[in-house]
Amino acid sequence: MAQGPYKLVSREFQPEPTVVTIGGVTVGGPDVVVMAGPCAVETQDQLLDAARAVKAAGAQLLRGGAFKPRTSPYSFQGHGEEGLRLLAAARAETGLPVVTEIMDPRDVDLVCRYADVLQVGARNCQNFALLRELGRAQRPVLLKRGMHVTVDELLQAAEYIVAGGNTQVILAERGIRTFETATRNTLDLSAVPVLKERTHLPVLVDPTHGTGYSRYVPAMARAAVAAGADALLIEVHPCPEEAWCDGEQALTPEAFATLMRDVRRVAAVVREPAVAATP
Amino acid sequence: MAQGPYKLVSREFQPEPTVVTIGGVTVGGPDVVVMAGPCAVETQDQLLDAARAVKAAGAQLLRGGAFKPRTSPYSFQGHGEEGLRLLAAARAETGLPVVTEIMDPRDVDLVCRYADVLQVGARNCQNFALLRELGRAQRPVLLKRGMHVTVDELLQAAEYIVAGGNTQVILAERGIRTFETATRNTLDLSAVPVLKERTHLPVLVDPTHGTGYSRYVPAMARAAVAAGADALLIEVHPCPEEAWCDGEQALTPEAFATLMRDVRRVAAVVREPAVAATP
Amino acid sequence: MAQGPYKLVSREFQPEPTVVTIGGVTVGGPDVVVMAGPCAVETQDQLLDAARAVKAAGAQLLRGGAFKPRTSPYSFQGHGEEGLRLLAAARAETGLPVVTEIMDPRDVDLVCRYADVLQVGARNCQNFALLRELGRAQRPVLLKRGMHVTVDELLQAAEYIVAGGNTQVILAERGIRTFETATRNTLDLSAVPVLKERTHLPVLVDPTHGTGYSRYVPAMARAAVAAGADALLIEVHPCPEEAWCDGEQALTPEAFATLMRDVRRVAAVVREPAVAATP
Amino acid sequence: MAQGPYKLVSREFQPEPTVVTIGGVTVGGPDVVVMAGPCAVETQDQLLDAARAVKAAGAQLLRGGAFKPRTSPYSFQGHGEEGLRLLAAARAETGLPVVTEIMDPRDVDLVCRYADVLQVGARNCQNFALLRELGRAQRPVLLKRGMHVTVDELLQAAEYIVAGGNTQVILAERGIRTFETATRNTLDLSAVPVLKERTHLPVLVDPTHGTGYSRYVPAMARAAVAAGADALLIEVHPCPEEAWCDGEQALTPEAFATLMRDVRRVAAVVREPAVAATP
């Protein structure tokens, strides 16, 4: 099979899959793990409502942004440490471990004090100063593929973290930039079997950013699991039309519950041993 | 929902799905239809072996190229009418209706004499002279999305055919051109829910050209069905390493049989009424 | 240097440049040739006004579409043979040879009766049935690069024509499809030095379709000549705001005259022997 | 004309061009400024040889990387502060101001002690933590467009810096990611007139990274100036075949001298008032 310009993250180096453990949740094992919650932490009520809803539907982790990478300096940039505190409070209330984005290498200690998984956003996929710092962190990292980054370059970005000593890395496909405008990005689901072939790291798919519209998310969540994804990242908001950012791509709690039911059905047929053995 | 610059093919114009009937096979109904066979018709034996194998595994149509669009003028260009005759003979032997490519508006009558479905390749997706001629043909058309064509432009290309009087059109997603080189093209599975929203025409996915490597085809075939595809087009060759063209993307009969089993399992859970009702 | 999968069109096969002769005009020699005129032939007056204006400004060929490839079947499709007649009349009046698009292999004889150069549009760049027919035509061909077509694939498309016996081929860069939306396409001017390295065929640039907005055309016309283009194709309309199609990208006669002056100045400094010798 | 989602950097906000002053050099005025030097600072001799050569040919700034963003963690990452010291020594020797890359917001003070212009690489174009820090820096910033970043998003990235108080920003087009593989990236020269229309900030073009091969750089340098670029960034190495990184895209001193002569000729004809007034 293909051998890219990376070592520690390759299947050749480690044939058996890496299983990332977060609290009692394992990513990369037999079960599909779903991380869900709002784009941004807005208020205590909004976050708790979202957390309870996604937990009730079966999500195993809570996502929410405290530091938001925004294309415009005039958009809401997140609540920062106050947002992290609200995430920790939601974890205390619901028991869901928390995944949140980190954008600045100077914030690693701060974010590690509150969060269970450190997310690297697509725009920082090749922010090597940040990747190096995360190689020294004591938390699993969710590394999103940049909009212009090839699968092999994503693996090299992960190699920065693993070479630094942190082997707990989850790779995320979240859509690449193409000419198509019907969706916000083009979700490259073929990256799932390609990654499963080339690396032992678990693979997550983010159909929310991949499509950009909530009405396309359930179909792509099912497809991601059918393609072999180990985990999903789904934006859910108690009231999408009132979301401070990206409301058009957030699912309502009801739509998310339906998505969870359907995803479980697909997972049941594709992740049984006989099927999983086919590439 | 979105309304593109097309009329007859839109959901607004016709809310109920179009069902394309080919012999006794219906595309666009409850069942997922699989069309399979070799890239090119090479010899009578090769084609018959392929036809028997795909039929045994459950395929409902036989694909095979008699006129081959090749990037280089020095590559094998197909057997032409002799290839069509071999396809008709394989249909007589196996009972499988035949889908084959047409490249030239002057060949419509000829190809209609032999084939059950006329395929328009990606490079001819906006060959309007050909599309207009197919609007007058008495055969269903399988219209492949061009590598640079948006979903809305694909629908406008289909509108050329339907406006000409031929309503039997199947749309095919087969991968678009992006910067990623791990796969031959980038299979845009998000196009499936987008198309199902915007048009009543059935939607097929070609994971063979979408990925370009046989080892990625099964995962993407499952994902396509999970995303809502009505049909699949899969290249199968009795002996891929001896194929005259594109051997690296053809499945063996054995791999195809496994794919068929897995696709049926996914179809069983995603196409039941409760799931199918979610977008 | 790089050797692509083509023969007759390669620099290795023929080191000296091909010069295409159209009436008394030569493309591929020391002078930059400008072909200009409206997107579509609309009326006799519109065409004659355009023809006189572009001639007065120094254009050497008249362009105008009689068969128009339109994304939608409901857009103006061109006047067909009547448009060809108007083009021939404009040639008789102004002395400018005529370049016009051909879309259907059945129209080769018809278009050859009226036109001096047969243009293959971007959407037909890999319409191999058409390319083969043009290999037998007695007219120079202007072959536009498809929006998804690599430089090496463009050369293979040209190889179809040259291998058929027609060595009078001009290659045209007119923009490729990317994610950028500020321009209609992304004009790939790097293709000019790449093509000049790999082929002996002359290279034309179409900054009108490459940018899609008339206000960006002059800068890109100058840049194309500075990059080494042998010819330019520019849309000019006597009254762009009343154009039946693509008015936002057509130059007024006044703007075109300024463009011609500036292009000549750039050509004077980049096409002198000492400069032209650098790649 | 178009108004993007940015304020301070827009032409509407400030119609007159921003002129960035670096030592005695002004970028954004009547003259085209050329910044040249090696990809990476390797040794004192290598850097001094390069500095003397580019100065002799007429370059006004010296470029060289001390912190190198490398796709692989196992590639040479630059000499860090020692590289900065060598750059300062080369400036002392030649009088050329120095432009060098910064990758980490924690390095701003350090790099400002040595460098005259702080370069943000394409992969950090939307590294908002870094951009915010540079808004507080007392040095001009050279902001490179990311491989997946639209022109309007580049302007929003610049807005982060300007909104932070640093108005001395130069925008750089250095190629975007497309499907074309003949060049390393696709140099989007149309971005030059688009940027000149939408912003008052000066625009630089990097034909070295835009093409990836030294033999295409001269043609694209000429084209960039013809399109209206205010500045060029060119990689030059005393001995490209021995370069520690990216040798295939570095010019020899001799080729650079020829490029400079040709660029000056093009600048002389396109930057005179009458021509410069056309868009």
Side-chain angles (χ1 to χ4, degrees), chain C:
Chain C
M1 300 290 170
Q3 167 62 55
Y6 37 82
K7 303 177 194 171
L8 307 177
V9 303
S10 73
R11 277 273 181 203
E12 283 78 2
F13 182 81
Q14 180 192 311
E16 67 277 11
T18 286
V19 175
V20 174
T21 303
I22 308 149
V25 181
T26 54
V27 179
D31 293 328
V32 173
V33 171
V34 179
M35 312 179 183
C39 173
V41 175
E42 298 169 5
T43 66
Q44 186 167 15
D45 284 353
Q46 170 251 15
L47 185 63
L48 272 178
D49 285 354
R52 289 179 191 126
V54 302
K55 185 181 185 187
Q60 292 108 316
L61 278 92
L62 174 65
R63 65 148 286 157
F67 296 98
K68 298 297 305 168
R70 303 306 299 276
T71 304
S72 165
Y74 306 118
S75 301
F76 172 57
Q77 309 274 320
H79 287 310
E81 187 168 2
E82 175 58 21
L84 297 174
R85 273 191 216 104
L86 293 173
L87 284 164
R91 175 180 52 204
E93 162 93 12
T94 61
L96 295 177
V98 158
V99 51
T100 199
E101 181 155 352
I102 180 161
M103 298 168 58
D104 192 321
R106 297 168 294 193
D107 290 339
V108 171
D109 287 345
L110 171 68
V111 180
C112 283
R113 281 204 296 279
Y114 295 98
D116 301 282
V117 180
L118 308 181
Q119 176 181 315
V120 178
R123 290 166 189 77
N124 283 316
C125 179
Q126 294 186 312
N127 177 344
F128 302 117
L130 180 61
L131 299 180
R132 264 197 218 96
E133 203 66 35
L134 293 171
R136 293 188 281 268
Q138 305 295 315
R139 286 283 180 287
V141 175
L142 173 59
L143 175 63
K144 288 195 161 188
R145 180 184 184 185
M147 281 177 263
H148 67 288
V149 168
T150 66
V151 164
D152 277 343
E153 290 169 347
L154 173 63
L155 289 169
Q156 290 174 285
E159 186 88 11
Y160 267 92
I161 303 171
V162 175
N166 186 350
T167 61
Q168 299 283 291
V169 178
I170 303 164
L171 302 171
E173 161 61 31
R174 47 77 74 207
I176 58 175
R177 273 251 162 121
T178 74
F179 62 82
E180 178 59 71
T181 54
T183 44
R184 185 173 171 181
N185 296 284
T186 295
L187 190 67
D188 178 16
L189 281 188
S190 303
V192 176
V194 175
L195 284 167
K196 298 302 284 182
E197 169 193 74
R198 300 187 184 182
T199 185
H200 50 82
L201 296 175
V203 177
L204 172 148
V205 169
D206 174 355
T208 302
H209 286 88
T211 62
Y213 297 97
S214 56
R215 63 191 187 272
Y216 305 138
V217 170
M220 299 316 288
R222 297 194 300 264
V225 171
D230 298 301
L232 296 172
L233 188 68
I234 308 281
E235 282 190 10
V236 178
H237 194 285
C239 189
E241 62 271 28
E242 294 178 8
W244 298 10
C245 57
D246 286 348
E248 71 284 354
Q249 68 185 23
L251 292 179
T252 62
E254 295 71 32
F256 178 67
T258 303
L259 175 153
M260 286 296 291
R261 182 202 62 191
D262 296 345
V263 158
R264 272 191 291 255
R265 291 180 182 182
V266 174
V269 296
V270 299
R271 293 179 83 83
E272 59 180 72
V275 177
T278 66

Side-chain angles (χ1 to χ4, degrees), chain B residues 6-11 13 155 158-159 162 198-201:
Chain B
Y6 36 82
K7 302 178 192 170
L8 306 177
V9 304
S10 73
R11 276 275 180 201
F13 182 81
L155 289 170
E159 186 88 10
V162 175
R198 299 187 184 182
T199 184
H200 50 82
L201 296 175

Side-chain angles (χ1 to χ4, degrees), chain B residues 62-81:
Chain B
L62 174 65
R63 66 148 286 154
F67 297 99
K68 297 297 306 168
R70 303 306 297 276
T71 304
S72 165
Y74 307 118
S75 300
F76 172 57
Q77 308 274 320
H79 287 310
E81 186 167 3

Side-chain angles (χ1 to χ4, degrees), chain B residues 125-137:
Chain B
C125 180
Q126 294 186 312
N127 177 343
F128 303 117
L130 180 61
L131 298 181
R132 264 197 217 97
E133 201 67 36
L134 292 172
R136 294 188 280 268

Side-chain angles (χ1 to χ4, degrees), chain A residues 145 180 197 215-216 272, chain B residues 145 180 197 215-216:
Chain A
R145 180 184 183 185
E180 176 60 69
E197 169 193 74
R215 63 192 189 272
Y216 305 138
E272 59 179 71
Chain B
R145 180 184 183 185
E180 176 60 70
E197 168 194 73
R215 63 190 188 274
Y216 305 138

